Every structure is written in C-alpha cells, then in structure tokens.
Amino acid sequence: MWNWLRQIKDSITQKTIGLMRMQFWREAVEDIYCDNPPHQPVATELWRAVKRHNLTKMWFMKIIDEREKNLDDRAYRNIQELETYAENTQSALLYLTLETLGVRDIHADHAASHIGKAQGIVTCLRATPYHSARQKVFLPMDICMLHGVSQEDFIRGKQEKNVRDVIYDIASQAHSHLEHARSFSKKVPVKAYPAFFCTVALDDYLYNMRKVDFNIFHPSLQKKSTLLPLHLYIRSWKKTY
C-alpha cells in the first residue's frame, strides 16, 4: 500500500486522478475495518495484517490524508510543514511497524516520531537533484529565503556556499531528530529496535553529505552504499539504533 500511495504523485498528470486513487484507498481502509476488504491483492494482505496485529486505523488515514494534501506541486513553506508531512507519513508508518512487532510503548512512539521526521527530511534532500532536473523544488522556502537562495538556483544546479548552507540547515534538523530519538534508547523496548534500523541509511547519507561539504548535487550522493548491509548487521548485533 505504501508504495502505491508514494507513487501516485509522480505517476499522474492531473490532480483529479490522484484524488480518485487516494479515495480508493481511503474507502478500502474503511472496508477493511468493516471486515469487507475489496478484491485487490494488496488490500487483502492489509486486511490480514490488521486482523493479526490489531493495527490502528488512524495511522492509515493520516498517511492517506497527508499524501493527498501533498499532491499539490509546491515547496514546503517552512521546515515545520515538512516535519508535519513526515510525521503523518513516515512516523505513522513506524507506529504501525511497532504495532506489528507487538510494541505499544510511549518511549518507542517518541523515538518513532523523531526518526520518521528525520527520514522525511532526508528523503526530501535525496530527491532534490531528481526534482530539480524536472524544474521542481520542494525544499522549505523559509530556509531558502534566509540564505538568499531561489528555486532557480537549485534548478540550475548551483553549488555556491549559500546553496550549501540551505542544505546544511535542513540536514542539521534531520540529525537533531536522530539525536532526540536516541536519547530515549535506554527506555525503548529492545524488540522495537528492528523498526528503527532505517536510521542506518539515514546516518550513512548524512555522513556522506558532510564529506562533500553539503553539495546536494555531488554524484557520490546518488550512489548506493556498499557498506550499508555491514552497518545494518553491526547495528543489529549491538542492539542499537
């Protein structure tokens, strides 16, 4: 379901079509919780997961509603708007993942909230070269304005210091959320950790970005990290996130 929702925005040419697809999933979730899932493979599997793990309906609806709001092609007005989007999509998905692991714990939820926000911010950064090549920029406007950077600067792939300062500020916010999430680590149940191993990829991207002095267009940032599986194994072995 998540991939279907994520791909809707990039696969449509008219917002109306996107709204129709979102409405399909909204009604599908309603039917799932009425024990009457539509005859669609993903919906059927989702219904089984809901029954097996007693998943909370609210998180599904938040994801759908937020994805629907995001169908408009416009930049985030500020970092808080980006964080709200991340909370209602990435964090909501982490809350559901915790439920599938049998974890219902306030400290785990706090960690999930911050990790989800970090993931949303990093996703926005990673997608910047892709979107810029298509004449689109979604980075928070308040931070761009603070450094005197226009959307056109990103579309042209500029790498001046003020452009890199924008990326630094946004990346720093993601790093801050990861640090907040880890401040709860001693209170988070160990069985919740598998839900948070996505931090391995986030740390890797932020580290690589620092190495290239926050040049968002540097080719190395678009390459897959061959060390990710090793780092994931180590994190799992040490039981940390």
Side-chain angles (χ1 to χ4, degrees), residues 97-117:
T97 304
L98 288 173
E99 290 182 351
T100 64
L101 293 171
V103 177
R104 295 175 188 266
D105 176 86
I106 189 170
H107 301 297
D109 285 347
H110 282 160
S113 176
H114 285 291
I115 291 171
K117 288 173 183 173

Side-chain angles (χ1 to χ4, degrees), residues 216-233:
I216 196 72
F217 298 104
H218 198 283
S220 66
L221 295 178
Q222 304 303 315
K223 296 179 181 178
K224 290 184 179 180
S225 174
T226 56
L227 294 177
L228 271 184
L230 175 62
H231 293 159
L232 180 58
Y233 172 79

